[in-house]
Amino acid sequence: MSEEMNLVRDLAVILISAGLFTIISKALRQPLILGYIIAGFLVGPNINFFPGISSVEAVEQWSEIGIIFLMFGLGLEFSFKKLLKVGSSALVTAGTKFLGVFVLGFVIGTAMGWTTMESIFLAGLLSMSSTTVVIKSYEEMNMKNDSHAGLVFGTLVVEDLIAILLMVLLSTMAVSKKFDGAEMLFNLGKLAFFIVLWFLVGIYLIPSVLSKAKKYISDEILLVVSVGLCLGMVSLASAVGFSSALGAFVMGSILAETVESEHIEHLVSPIKDLFGAIFFVSVGMMVDPLMIAEYWLPIIVIITGIVIGQLVFGTLGVILTGKGLKVALQSSFSLTQIGEFAFIIAGLGTSLGVTSDFLYPVVVAVSVITTFITPYMIRLALPTYDFLTGLLPARVIKALAPKEVAISSRETQHWHYLLKRMCTKVIIYVIVIVAMNTIVAEIIAPRIYELIPGVWGKIFCTLLLLAIIAPFLRAIVMTQNRSVAFLTLWVIGGLHKVKLVATVAIRFMLALYLTMSAVWLFFQWSIIVILAIATALVVIAIMRKDMKQQTDYFERIFLNNLNERDQ
């Protein structure tokens, strides 16, 4: 049989077995994930009773595509605006849970006699919950629109971002045998930069293009375009060193802001279900009964530790945000499994030679078992809450009730509004300027040098770059200077005036630095000369009112696209 027909046969075995066992699971009122994993276990390489597959590598590739479409679907359902509403809560919850479970995982590994590096890798892979498992469980249980779902998905996204940084950190530690905090901070900044940049460009361009081409777009074209954009962002994310899952989620979140989001979600849903099934079947294929029998005690210890750790620290993290005990339990009971990144981290340790070969099959066993119990843990949240409210004293229940945000003074409100808007816009403009610097220096300049060699080519590139970034330099200095909050605080006077002048001075110096950096890309003159040129350019940009019109135009299109779906 040819290789192509082997792939067809493997896919047939996977889908037929998945369909059969999910029907059985549905008839027995069990979660579909259970049927997928059992199907994978029975057709996998460790069981010879049923017809097996011939190419494990091909199945792994299909499962990767499954993760991509699952994350793409998540992004379509939970846009950036929804995530930002629970942003601080998700950040606190994910941070608390990650730190607590990481320490607990390291203690468990050390107590079992594992090496320091094995314990660190164990701690890292145990600290991440499974986005795909939670998504699938919530879909089956019709819980995607529950009040706590946004917090859960926001926490999972933050954990995925932490996982990316953790992989970089663990790789560095494995190779250099030391902690490299500078590299971790650099990758954190790089991650934030690219996410914001992708979001800005995507919201500015994609809804505008879809809106103008709407009368030419059929269901078929919309499906092709959406999947193409998803895979394009996946490729871009992988090219700059991030996970494919992150790229798919970002593109889904961008498309979620368009008026076609629900239509796209409907069109993509069958593809997501198909490859999602292959992913869960591939997880079941990795279950090795002999390895589980040999390492049954560590597996039990790790499962017990992860369930208790996720419950305790997940609940604590949500309570710290003031959401209350009920939401805390509903959220933490949803996160009692290890995620897809656990396989990546375990494989990383094995490939780098810093962990023993047994770690990967142990992780697979723990993942499968915790995946099994996830739907049941989700269902246990409310009964546990009812039990605790009947058991705990009234003063404790009152202390754990949702907290209301205290109302601050009008001056504090003005400052909060002003700084929030000011910092948001300044960060956005800085990211745009840095991106323009990179594009001109790395992509445009080499082609200009071919046409205009020598110093004149450098002068042309410098003037081109300064002309592009000038409106954004002006916006950095002038943003919010005529807002109601700024003028109100200025009229109040006193210390408020000093603070307001300080914000303008800081932004002016930032604009100077960005201008000097742009010139320095092409001419490494003395700092004094570049500073003088930069000062003159920034002052000229501030005085040019037409540059304000340009940034206002960009902002208007961006905000219209961002709010188009709500309107």
Side-chain angles (χ1 to χ4, degrees), residues 418 421-430 433 469-483 486 499-515 534-544 547-548 551 555:
L418 180 64
R421 296 293 296 273
M422 190 181 293
C423 291
T424 301
K425 289 195 173 186
V426 168
I427 290 173
I428 289 174
Y429 293 139
V430 169
I433 290 173
I469 68 174
F472 303 105
L473 292 170
R474 183 192 186 281
I476 288 175
V477 180
M478 301 301 294
T479 185
Q480 298 299 307
N481 289 357
R482 295 185 180 276
S483 65
F486 190 101
K499 293 179 179 179
L500 292 172
V501 171
T503 63
V504 177
I506 291 172
R507 285 178 282 138
F508 184 84
M509 289 187 288
L510 177 60
L512 283 181
Y513 173 78
L514 293 170
T515 308
T535 303
L537 291 172
V538 172
V539 171
I540 293 172
I542 292 173
M543 296 175 63
R544 293 282 301 273
M547 292 189 178
K548 179 180 185 301
T551 53
E555 288 184 13

Side-chain angles (χ1 to χ4, degrees), residues 289-308:
L290 297 178
M291 194 65 72
I292 293 176
E294 182 178 355
Y295 291 97
W296 65 271
L297 182 58
I299 291 172
I300 292 176
V301 172
I302 292 172
I303 291 173
T304 304
I306 190 175
V307 171
I308 294 175

Side-chain angles (χ1 to χ4, degrees), residues 172-427:
T172 305
M173 291 179 63
V175 174
S176 62
K177 307 299 181 182
K178 64 180 181 180
F179 175 84
D180 193 343
E183 184 173 356
M184 182 177 180
L185 291 176
F186 170 77
N187 282 281
L188 178 62
K190 177 183 174 183
L191 178 64
F193 173 83
F194 277 106
I195 287 179
V196 175
L197 179 62
W198 291 335
F199 184 69
L200 291 175
V201 175
I203 293 298
Y204 184 80
L205 293 178
I206 293 175
S208 299
V209 174
L210 290 178
S211 177
K212 291 181 179 179
K214 185 175 182 179
K215 61 181 179 180
Y216 305 110
I217 296 180
S218 63
D219 285 359
E220 179 181 355
I221 295 175
L222 184 60
L223 175 62
V224 171
V225 170
S226 302
V227 174
L229 289 171
C230 171
L231 298 180
M233 182 61 77
V234 166
S235 301
L236 181 59
S238 300
V240 296
F242 299 129
S243 71
S244 57
L246 176 65
F249 174 80
V250 170
M251 181 49 66
S253 296
I254 292 172
L255 292 176
E257 306 302 342
T258 68
V259 294
E260 300 289 344
S261 60
E262 294 182 2
H263 193 186
I264 294 172
E265 182 183 349
H266 174 73
L267 295 174
V268 173
S269 181
I271 302 176
K272 180 188 71 173
D273 293 339
L274 173 64
F275 285 101
I278 296 174
F279 166 73
F280 288 110
V281 170
S282 71
V283 172
M285 289 168 54
M286 291 184 287
V287 178
D288 187 348
L290 297 178
M291 194 65 72
I292 293 176
E294 182 178 355
Y295 291 97
W296 65 271
L297 182 58
I299 291 172
I300 292 176
V301 172
I302 292 172
I303 291 173
T304 304
I306 190 175
V307 171
I308 294 175
Q310 299 281 23
L311 289 177
V312 171
F313 295 108
T315 301
L316 176 62
V318 179
I319 288 176
L320 290 176
T321 66
K323 297 294 184 181
L325 181 60
K326 183 178 181 179
V327 173
L329 290 174
Q330 288 177 309
S331 301
S332 62
F333 270 74
S334 301
L335 303 172
T336 54
Q337 71 290 123
I338 60 175
E340 301 75 35
F341 282 106
F343 303 136
I344 301 174
I345 293 173
L348 180 66
T350 303
S351 63
L352 294 174
V354 295
T355 61
S356 302
D357 293 337
F358 69 83
L359 181 61
Y360 194 88
V362 167
V363 169
V364 172
V366 172
S367 174
V368 170
I369 295 173
T370 53
T371 297
F372 278 162
I373 66 174
T374 293
Y376 306 105
M377 296 297 296
I378 294 174
R379 293 190 181 101
L380 278 175
L382 290 180
T384 303
Y385 172 74
D386 294 336
F387 172 76
L388 290 178
T389 51
L391 180 66
L392 296 174
R395 64 180 183 276
V396 176
I397 298 298
K398 183 178 180 180
L400 296 177
K403 303 295 188 297
E404 295 183 1
V405 180
I407 301 176
S408 57
S409 65
R410 289 189 61 83
E411 293 179 14
T412 303
Q413 290 177 354
H414 282 310
W415 271 112
H416 182 268
Y417 172 84
L418 180 64
L419 292 177
K420 181 179 179 180
R421 296 293 296 273
M422 190 181 293
C423 291
T424 301
K425 289 195 173 186
V426 168
I427 290 173

Side-chain angles (χ1 to χ4, degrees), residues 193 197 201 429-442 444 465 468-469 472 521-522:
F193 173 83
L197 179 62
V201 175
Y429 293 139
V430 169
I431 289 175
V432 171
I433 290 173
V434 172
M436 291 299 102
N437 288 355
T438 305
I439 292 172
V440 172
E442 301 295 332
I444 298 178
L465 178 57
I468 293 173
I469 68 174
F472 303 105
L521 287 172
F522 304 100

